[in-house]
Amino acid sequence: MPESVSAVRATNSPADKAGSALSPLPSSFRAYRLAVPPVSGILRPRLVLLCSVLGIGTFLLFCWGLTIGDYPIAFADVVRALGGSGDPGTVLIVQDLRLPRALVGLLSGIAFGVSGALFQTMTRNPLASPDMIGLTQGAGTAVVAGIVLGWDGGLGTQTLGLFGALATALLVYLLAWRRGTTGYRIILVGIGVSWMCASATDYLMAKGGRFEAQAALGWLVGNLNGRTWAETRPLVVALAVLLPTALLFGRLLRTLQLGDDVATGLGTRVQLVRLAILLTGVGLIAFATAAAGPVAFVALAAPQIAQRLARTAWPPTVASGLTGALVVLGGDLIARTLISGTELPVGIVTGVLGAPILLWLLVRANRAGSGG
């Protein structure tokens, strides 16, 4: 399916009007075809350039974050320490003490961004993100229950978060099922389930003891403080499996954008594909939330920012992940330097920055006549 085909979206954007099935490829696109392996597609120079710029910016922010601490380290020394060279004390501080926090911020941002892109493309609605349809809240409820009530059974926050997100996704999918599911029903049911999970979390916080409630509250805001390799390793393994899987859904996602009837006519097993995308997005959001907490609005805002920078008709997966990493790492830098001597949770910063984007999307949807 040519990538120039525009999909019918819940809200109109300049990119939505850019192409149609009958129009020629824009001059900025480059078609390619390889004999070995037999692969063909369309190369978008603007998207490639955008991903390159985002990748460089992410690396710079990643290294910049490693320079900050009680013992300041020069940027060049951080780069050398990442390669294992330089002063042994600097290598110890960078690799053992500061690197886990930076990696959790980087990888969780990528996971939030990619997961948001999957859900927004699958449902054809820019308001469909894991933190809007209850997945983040479900993972949070499971983790808080483990912390406050001691129901973890020896399981870590990653496992609890995964179970909570999977259970919430299954509940949303079953409640939205009526001879199949649609993106619209998934969003409406998900909003209701998210409030149910939020109420359950509030009850657990009120029921728990003082110290358990404080620990749960620090995690619920979205926080990178004190992250160690114990939180980092499961996230690395999960993303090594789930990110390639998400990238493989690219062509199927663009087919779903044409609508269920057209996608079925093109041979796509719509409900099976939608379920597979849902499970992949759930896995990404669950492991990211378990490691960094439910960092607010990243999954919602990052795909929309990337889509407008790339000028595509859908949120580009790779660019969305890199944008999510930039948002989390940048928010963490602001949180650590905004108030001298105090490290704010990163979720506070992303919430302040993301709330105006949500309001803008709602206003834009209503002006387009699709916001209800």
Side-chain angles (χ1 to χ4, degrees):
M1 176 61 57
E3 296 183 5
S4 59
V5 177
S6 293
V8 179
R9 297 183 58 81
T11 59
N12 296 322
S13 68
D16 295 326
K17 304 173 183 178
S20 66
L22 300 177
S23 62
L25 288 177
S27 59
S28 59
F29 293 175
R30 299 290 185 270
Y32 68 89
R33 182 177 182 180
L34 303 179
V36 180
V39 176
S40 63
I42 299 172
L43 180 66
R44 292 175 171 80
R46 182 185 180 89
L47 184 56
V48 174
L49 178 60
L50 174 63
C51 290
S52 301
V53 172
L54 291 174
I56 294 172
T58 300
F59 176 76
L60 293 176
L61 276 181
F62 179 81
C63 294
W64 187 8
L66 293 173
T67 66
I68 300 175
D70 294 335
Y71 176 70
I73 302 175
F75 188 92
D77 293 336
V78 165
V79 176
R80 284 193 290 267
L82 288 175
S85 61
D87 180 70
T90 301
V91 174
L92 175 65
I93 293 174
V94 170
Q95 294 193 357
D96 292 348
L97 301 181
R98 298 183 183 178
L99 187 57
R101 174 189 182 131
L103 279 177
V104 169
L106 172 69
L107 298 178
S108 63
I110 292 174
F112 284 129
V114 172
S115 180
L118 290 179
F119 282 101
Q120 290 178 8
T121 307
M122 178 184 71
T123 61
R124 294 182 291 155
N125 193 312
L127 298 177
S129 69
D131 44 3
M132 292 292 292
I133 61 176
L135 303 185
T136 304
Q137 289 82 354
T141 301
V143 173
V144 171
I147 294 175
V148 173
L149 303 178
W151 290 355
D152 56 356
L155 302 176
T157 56
Q158 282 83 2
T159 305
L160 289 172
L162 180 61
F163 285 161
L166 284 174
T168 306
L170 180 61
L171 178 62
V172 171
Y173 195 80
L174 290 177
L175 292 177
W177 182 273
R178 191 175 64 187
R179 289 177 292 181
T181 61
T182 64
Y184 183 72
R185 286 206 298 270
I186 288 175
I187 294 172
L188 290 181
V189 172
I191 291 174
V193 171
S194 69
W195 281 104
M196 292 171 56
C197 293
S199 299
T201 302
D202 291 340
Y203 169 77
L204 290 170
M205 294 286 291
K207 182 180 178 62
R210 175 181 177 183
F211 296 105
E212 291 84 357
Q214 286 180 345
L217 181 61
W219 180 86
L220 277 174
V221 177
N223 204 337
L224 299 180
N225 297 340
R227 292 302 177 261
T228 65
W229 286 109
E231 292 90 7
T232 307
R233 292 190 184 97
L235 186 59
V236 172
V237 174
L239 263 65
V241 175
L242 294 173
L243 284 180
T245 304
L247 294 176
L248 290 176
F249 286 131
R251 188 177 296 271
L252 294 174
L253 282 168
R254 291 188 290 276
T255 303
L256 288 181
Q257 282 189 304
L258 301 174
D260 290 359
D261 293 337
V262 176
T264 301
L266 293 173
T268 301
R269 303 177 66 179
V270 173
Q271 299 304 328
L272 182 61
V273 169
R274 186 172 283 137
L275 179 60
I277 294 172
L278 181 67
L279 292 176
T280 303
V282 167
L284 288 168
I285 205 68
F287 280 99
T289 301
V295 184
F297 291 117
V298 178
L300 173 71
Q304 292 302 304
I305 295 172
Q307 178 180 348
R308 279 150 184 80
L309 291 175
R311 296 181 183 175
T312 56
W314 67 91
T317 306
V318 176
S320 298
L322 292 174
T323 304
L326 271 175
V327 171
V328 174
L329 292 174
D332 188 44
L333 280 174
I334 296 174
R336 296 167 68 183
T337 59
L338 183 63
I339 301 177
S340 179
T342 302
E343 291 193 1
L344 297 174
V346 64
I348 294 178
V349 177
T350 59
V352 171
L353 298 177
I357 296 178
L358 173 61
L359 293 175
W360 176 75
L361 288 174
L362 289 172
V363 171
R364 187 169 175 270
N366 283 326
R367 286 179 177 176
S370 57

